[in-house]
Short mmCIF file of all heavy atoms in Angstrom, two decimals:
data_model
loop_
_atom_site.label_atom_id
_atom_site.label_comp_id
_atom_site.label_asym_id
_atom_site.label_seq_id
_atom_site.Cartn_x
_atom_site.Cartn_y
_atom_site.Cartn_z
N GLY Q 256 14.17 9.04 37.93
CA GLY Q 256 12.73 8.70 38.40
C GLY Q 256 12.61 8.75 39.89
O GLY Q 256 11.63 8.48 40.43
N SER Q 257 13.73 9.06 40.67
CA SER Q 257 13.56 9.03 42.15
C SER Q 257 14.30 10.26 42.68
O SER Q 257 15.32 10.73 42.12
CB SER Q 257 14.10 7.77 42.63
OG SER Q 257 15.43 7.60 42.41
N LYS Q 258 13.91 10.73 43.87
CA LYS Q 258 14.48 11.73 44.50
C LYS Q 258 15.95 11.49 44.87
O LYS Q 258 16.87 12.40 44.81
CB LYS Q 258 13.76 12.26 45.70
CG LYS Q 258 12.29 12.75 45.44
CD LYS Q 258 11.65 13.21 46.70
CE LYS Q 258 10.25 13.71 46.30
NZ LYS Q 258 9.49 14.08 47.53
N GLU Q 259 16.23 10.30 45.27
CA GLU Q 259 17.59 9.84 45.72
C GLU Q 259 18.68 10.07 44.44
O GLU Q 259 19.76 10.27 44.76
CB GLU Q 259 17.54 8.44 46.21
CG GLU Q 259 16.81 8.17 47.36
CD GLU Q 259 15.34 8.07 47.21
OE1 GLU Q 259 14.93 8.09 46.11
OE2 GLU Q 259 14.58 8.17 48.29
N LYS Q 260 18.12 9.83 43.29
CA LYS Q 260 18.94 9.93 42.16
C LYS Q 260 18.90 11.20 41.48
O LYS Q 260 19.38 11.45 40.34
CB LYS Q 260 18.60 8.81 41.10
CG LYS Q 260 18.86 7.43 41.68
CD LYS Q 260 18.49 6.38 40.57
CE LYS Q 260 18.75 4.87 41.07
NZ LYS Q 260 18.40 3.98 40.06
N LYS Q 261 18.30 12.18 41.97
CA LYS Q 261 17.96 13.56 41.39
C LYS Q 261 19.37 14.19 41.10
O LYS Q 261 19.36 14.79 39.96
CB LYS Q 261 17.30 14.44 42.41
CG LYS Q 261 16.61 15.58 41.80
CD LYS Q 261 15.38 15.31 40.87
CE LYS Q 261 14.72 16.42 40.29
NZ LYS Q 261 13.67 16.06 39.42
N ASP Q 262 20.41 13.99 41.87
CA ASP Q 262 21.64 14.69 41.60
C ASP Q 262 22.62 13.74 40.89
O ASP Q 262 23.78 14.04 40.66
CB ASP Q 262 22.30 15.14 42.94
CG ASP Q 262 21.44 16.19 43.59
OD1 ASP Q 262 20.71 16.98 42.86
OD2 ASP Q 262 21.33 16.26 44.81
N GLU Q 263 22.20 12.51 40.63
CA GLU Q 263 23.02 11.63 39.92
C GLU Q 263 22.99 11.69 38.36
O GLU Q 263 21.89 12.01 37.84
CB GLU Q 263 22.83 10.19 40.39
CG GLU Q 263 23.01 9.87 41.82
CD GLU Q 263 22.66 8.47 42.16
OE1 GLU Q 263 22.40 7.65 41.21
OE2 GLU Q 263 22.61 8.14 43.37
N GLU Q 264 23.98 11.35 37.63
CA GLU Q 264 23.97 11.29 36.26
C GLU Q 264 23.11 10.07 35.75
O GLU Q 264 23.18 8.99 36.46
CB GLU Q 264 25.30 11.17 35.66
CG GLU Q 264 26.05 12.53 35.66
CD GLU Q 264 27.47 12.56 34.82
OE1 GLU Q 264 27.71 11.35 34.31
OE2 GLU Q 264 28.01 13.61 34.67
N VAL Q 265 22.33 10.22 34.84
CA VAL Q 265 21.43 9.12 34.27
C VAL Q 265 22.02 8.67 33.09
O VAL Q 265 22.34 9.49 32.15
CB VAL Q 265 19.95 9.67 34.12
CG1 VAL Q 265 19.13 8.59 33.62
CG2 VAL Q 265 19.48 10.28 35.53
N LYS Q 266 22.24 7.39 32.97
CA LYS Q 266 22.71 6.73 31.68
C LYS Q 266 21.65 6.74 30.66
O LYS Q 266 20.62 6.14 30.92
CB LYS Q 266 23.12 5.39 32.00
CG LYS Q 266 23.85 4.75 30.83
CD LYS Q 266 25.24 5.24 30.63
CE LYS Q 266 26.03 4.41 29.66
NZ LYS Q 266 27.32 4.91 29.39
N VAL Q 267 21.75 7.44 29.50
CA VAL Q 267 20.91 7.53 28.40
C VAL Q 267 21.09 6.26 27.49
O VAL Q 267 22.26 6.22 26.85
CB VAL Q 267 21.03 8.82 27.68
CG1 VAL Q 267 20.01 8.80 26.51
CG2 VAL Q 267 20.63 9.90 28.58
#
Side-chain angles (χ1 to χ4, degrees):
S257 64
K258 294 182 179 179
E259 292 77 9
K260 295 183 179 180
K261 197 71 177 178
D262 297 326
E263 297 180 12
E264 286 191 351
V265 179
K266 186 74 171 182
V267 175

